[in-house]
Amino acid sequence: MLELLKEKEMQKTFPMLAFVKDLDMTTPLSVEDSETQNPVPAKKVCCNGRGRVTEKQLMTVARGLGHSWRRIGIQALDIPSVRIEQIEEETTIHVDRVFAMLRYWRNQKRKEATAAYLHSLLSQKDLEVPSESIDFLLND
């Protein structure tokens, strides 16, 4: 799969996946071998949009999203409308609602919830999210 994502045509179609070219594909023989040869930190801190998006980043995005947050949640983040309604009932402050929605998305996506992935979802033209509200996700 990784080799497919490294192909020139895929990179051209999905420029946000440029970091994939630098990934090394190795399959460890055992868990013990992988831990001694390549120790992996318990939780990767975001670097150039590749790490899991942090709560601080989610709050910054939440402050930048307007009243179309429901549509963004349903259309871009695939959050069920029932969950959106629950968030509305649980919280009354706009920024807190948007933050709760983004945290829900992050918890659902787990390791896939990177800053770069969130940026790609929110930068769809039909959503009209201001780029200044989300471009920082690619720089942290």
Side-chain angles (χ1 to χ4, degrees):
M1 181 65 148
L2 188 58
E3 292 303 317
L4 177 66
L5 293 174
K6 289 182 179 182
E7 290 180 5
K8 192 178 243 180
E9 205 51 46
M10 288 293 272
Q11 292 288 313
K12 192 174 171 183
T13 305
F14 303 101
M16 296 296 296
L17 294 176
F19 70 91
V20 171
K21 292 184 290 187
D22 301 328
L23 295 178
D24 183 27
M25 189 170 111
T26 57
T27 307
L29 297 174
S30 70
V31 173
E32 291 82 22
D33 290 341
S34 68
E35 289 175 350
T36 57
Q37 292 175 359
N38 298 317
V40 178
K43 196 171 189 181
K44 185 178 178 185
V45 177
C46 188
C47 176
N48 291 329
R50 293 184 219 164
R52 192 164 189 248
V53 67
T54 65
E55 286 194 350
K56 183 177 179 180
Q57 290 171 316
L58 293 179
M59 182 55 80
T60 303
V61 171
R63 282 191 234 116
L65 294 183
H67 292 287
S68 61
W69 69 277
R70 290 175 206 81
R71 183 171 60 92
I72 290 168
I74 294 167
Q75 187 176 332
L77 305 178
D78 287 328
I79 298 176
S81 59
V82 171
R83 182 64 188 129
I84 299 284
E85 291 168 8
Q86 288 173 340
I87 290 170
E88 287 180 303
E89 289 177 17
E90 293 168 1
T91 54
T92 56
I93 300 170
H94 172 75
V95 173
D96 293 343
R97 286 178 172 176
V98 180
F99 178 70
M101 174 189 74
L102 293 170
R103 278 188 52 215
Y104 176 82
W105 171 82
R106 186 185 71 167
N107 292 339
Q108 293 301 304
K109 292 297 178 186
R110 298 179 187 227
K111 291 181 181 177
E112 294 175 44
T114 64
Y117 184 45
L118 180 59
H119 182 275
S120 69
L121 293 174
L122 296 178
S123 59
Q124 298 173 38
K125 289 187 193 291
D126 58 332
L127 296 178
E128 299 174 359
V129 174
S131 61
E132 59 271 8
S133 299
I134 57 173
D135 283 348
F136 77 94
L137 291 169
L138 300 177
N139 301 325
D140 286 349

